[in-house]
Amino acid sequence: MSDDTPGGNEVGGTDDRSGETDGRSDEARPDGGSTAHATMTTTESLSVGGVRQVLGVARREYRVLSRARWTYGLAALFGAFSLAVVGLAGTATGPSGAGALLVTLAELSVYLVPLAALALGYGTVVGADERGTLELLMSVPLGRTELLVGKYLGRAATLAVGMTLGLGAGAVVVLTRFGPAVLPAYLHYLLTAVTVGAAFLSLGVCVSAATTEKARALGGALLAWVLFVLVYDLAALGVVVALDPPGWLLSALVVGNPADALRLVVLSLVPTSGGGVGALLATTAVSTPALVAGLVAWIVAPLAVGGRLLARRA
């Protein structure tokens, strides 16, 4: 088959033909091959431009929330929380006192972190719709999922900065009382708390994309908090008591609730004894990669679902 045929041009232009043959193939096209090169350049520009647009949406979202004092509010909330827990933990020093402090922080953070993240996330879409800015954002040549990811990133940055500043205030007191030896465990707790907050923020963003009224979005966020923070652990304990499940099922139960990841991380850092959910998690061996993969899935999956829901809504 000669190079003048379509098949010969395709093989010669992509595989083992010489540069001279490629030149003849491009010349055989009406535009001398410029369309193919232009298409490739346009595709690359769109991919780079898409990332820039997502980051632009994130920066805009972060600025809007900063003007609304969300960062300062979250910093004040978690600062008061950490300082109160450290202050009420007593004057005990040493490893036992530090361990009791971290366990107390983790147990109370399970209630506060999801609530703060869901409160920040439930107005992501419906709030913009009420302000009249959602239609303007949707006019940007960007996919609905990418648009939602941009808004999520801006809110995740707000949550991370607020939590870090607030819990960082407690870290200063912990460092003063217990010394630098306990600081790595506290920073590990802080990083896990921020990651768990990011997972619940993603869930709140998904709820916001699924509703058209802010009141319904708030109700969905509160329902999610009740299910994951209160109902889930009771159901998990019921499964353990009734079925005595194998280790892999216990691990799946832990990964199935991002709030339990916070408890598990702290209990792995500070051996302690107790009952209820703490005793269950203390006997559950979940590898770090599995725990990280579970938290990543809790961040990615709600955003993917929310993007589809936003596309249908549009």
Side-chain angles (χ1 to χ4, degrees):
M1 183 180 294
S2 67
D3 288 344
D4 293 335
T5 61
N9 286 339
E10 181 179 358
V11 175
T14 57
D15 291 334
D16 55 339
R17 300 294 185 181
S18 64
E20 181 181 358
T21 304
D22 289 342
R24 289 197 304 269
S25 299
D26 288 340
E27 291 172 0
R29 301 184 183 127
D31 56 359
S34 60
T35 301
H37 295 294
T39 302
M40 183 180 300
T41 304
T42 302
T43 303
E44 293 173 353
S45 300
L46 286 175
S47 61
V48 175
V51 173
R52 289 178 179 174
Q53 287 179 331
V54 169
L55 295 179
V57 172
R59 286 192 296 269
R60 179 189 178 279
E61 193 76 6
Y62 182 80
R63 287 196 299 267
V64 169
L65 293 172
S66 296
R67 287 196 297 267
R69 302 293 189 272
W70 266 99
T71 303
Y72 303 110
L74 289 170
L77 174 65
F78 283 97
F81 163 74
S82 61
L83 292 175
V85 172
V86 173
L88 296 175
T91 58
T93 58
S96 60
L101 172 62
L102 286 175
V103 170
T104 303
L105 279 170
E107 289 294 338
L108 296 179
S109 296
V110 166
Y111 299 94
L112 181 60
V113 171
L115 186 61
L118 288 169
L120 180 61
Y122 85 91
T124 303
V125 176
V126 292
D129 195 9
E130 288 186 357
R131 294 191 303 269
T133 59
L134 182 61
E135 185 176 355
L136 178 62
L137 284 173
M138 285 188 172
S139 65
V140 176
L142 197 62
R144 298 298 176 251
T145 301
E146 289 78 6
L147 174 63
L148 201 65
V149 168
K151 292 179 72 65
Y152 167 80
L153 290 176
R155 291 182 178 251
T158 301
L159 180 68
V161 171
M163 289 183 64
T164 301
L165 291 175
L167 296 178
V172 174
V173 181
V174 169
L175 179 62
T176 303
R177 176 181 296 183
F178 298 100
V182 74
L183 191 58
Y186 189 93
L187 293 179
H188 199 166
Y189 149 75
L190 192 156
L191 178 62
T192 306
V194 171
T195 307
V196 171
F200 277 99
L201 176 65
S202 178
L203 188 61
V205 170
C206 181
V207 170
S208 184
T211 55
T212 56
E213 297 178 5
K214 205 167 185 179
R216 292 184 179 180
L218 176 59
L222 292 176
L223 179 60
W225 183 84
V226 170
L227 289 177
F228 282 97
V229 175
L230 302 178
V231 177
Y232 187 94
D233 287 338
L234 293 176
L237 285 175
V239 171
V240 172
V241 172
L243 303 179
D244 189 19
W248 66 267
L249 183 54
L250 288 176
S251 300
L253 289 174
V254 173
V255 175
N257 184 3
D260 285 337
L262 185 56
R263 287 194 183 105
L264 181 62
V265 167
V266 172
L267 290 176
S268 66
L269 296 172
V270 183
T272 183
S273 59
V277 178
L280 169 64
L281 296 179
T283 59
T284 304
V286 181
S287 64
T288 300
L291 198 61
V292 172
L295 289 175
V296 170
W298 273 110
I299 294 174
V300 173
L303 288 177
V305 174
R308 290 183 175 272
L309 293 173
L310 185 60
R312 292 181 180 179
R313 176 176 179 167

